Amino acid sequence: TEGAYKWKRASDDLIKHISYKVKNLMEDMVYEFRVAAENQAGAGPFSDNSNPVKAAEPKGKLPEQTS
């Protein structure tokens, strides 16, 4: 349903990497993600929505994330 969901910002911090670990997701909930670039000229348009992803406990070891 159009407008049934509200977008929330995953971080107010500047993300300098090509990946980001979203925290505090609720297990068994389905999420979609989108991104937008921002620079001195302002914010660009949002990307298309990702495919839906169901949050679950990680299975196995997650790759190390560098700061």
Side-chain angles (χ1 to χ4, degrees):
T1 305
E2 177 110 10
Y5 303 100
K6 188 174 188 175
W7 289 103
K8 292 185 180 179
R9 186 179 290 258
S11 175
D12 289 323
D13 297 331
L14 175 65
I15 309 301
K16 297 181 179 183
H17 303 283
I18 60 171
S19 65
Y20 179 75
K21 181 179 176 182
V22 180
K23 299 174 183 171
N24 301 318
L25 298 179
M26 294 176 58
E27 191 171 353
D28 293 326
M29 292 290 295
V30 175
Y31 293 90
E32 291 182 35
F33 301 93
R34 61 184 185 169
V35 297
E38 187 172 350
N39 59 27
Q40 291 132 343
F46 281 100
S47 65
D48 291 338
N49 299 358
S50 69
N51 290 328
V53 177
K54 186 174 184 179
E57 279 293 320
K59 293 182 170 83
K61 186 176 179 182
L62 294 176
E64 290 293 320
Q65 187 168 7
T66 58
S67 298

